[in-house]
Structures are given as C-alpha cells and as structure tokens.
Amino acid sequence: MANSLRGEVLALYKNLLYLGRDYPKGADYFKRRLKNVFLKNKDVKDPEKIKELIARGEFVMKELEALYFLRKYRAMKQRYYSDTNN
C-alpha cells in the first residue's frame, strides 16, 4: 500500500512542478514553495493522512489549472474584443 501511495505522491509532485512553470510569481518561487511543502510532510506515515494530503494537492492542481485558464481567457478577450467604454 505504501508503494502505491508513494507513486501517487511522486506523480502529484511532478504534475504540480509542471504546472508551476507558468506561475505568476515565477517558476523558481513555485518550485521552492512546492519543495518546502513536500519536505514538511515527508515524515507522515498514516495512509489516511497521506490520502488527505494527496487530495489537497489535487485540489491545488485544479485551482492552478483554473487560474491559467482564466488568464488565457482574459488575454484572448483583450486581444479579440475591443473595449466599448472608449
């Protein structure tokens, strides 16, 4: 069971690291924060607690995707629709 959770944790870390490339405060900032969070929780042994942390990480991943989608939408809107207030 621990090995399957380890694989999930590693996959989550890799996915978050990939998503962090476009973080507004910079990839280095995101990478440092991500590493600190994972190191802070490295001694957790309880499988239920690990599952909770994985679920929280997946929530953060979805929030990042939503942030990037919104930023992309705003950029496209500014590019293709003129401001009617001018």
Side-chain angles (χ1 to χ4, degrees), residues 17-72:
L17 199 57
Y18 178 78
L19 286 173
R21 296 179 311 150
D22 298 325
Y23 193 69
K25 289 188 176 182
D28 291 333
Y29 173 82
F30 187 85
K31 186 176 181 179
R32 278 194 311 270
R33 295 280 308 248
L34 181 65
K35 183 177 179 181
N36 288 339
V37 169
F38 273 77
L39 286 176
K40 183 179 95 173
N41 294 311
K42 76 176 185 175
D43 295 326
V44 176
K45 302 291 184 204
D46 181 30
E48 293 303 317
K49 179 66 175 172
I50 293 172
K51 287 179 184 177
E52 288 177 19
L53 293 168
I54 289 171
R56 184 172 184 196
E58 289 172 349
F59 173 77
V60 169
M61 205 165 58
K62 288 178 184 175
E63 289 294 313
L64 281 171
E65 289 171 346
L67 172 75
Y68 297 155
F69 180 76
L70 185 61
R71 186 172 60 179
K72 181 180 175 182

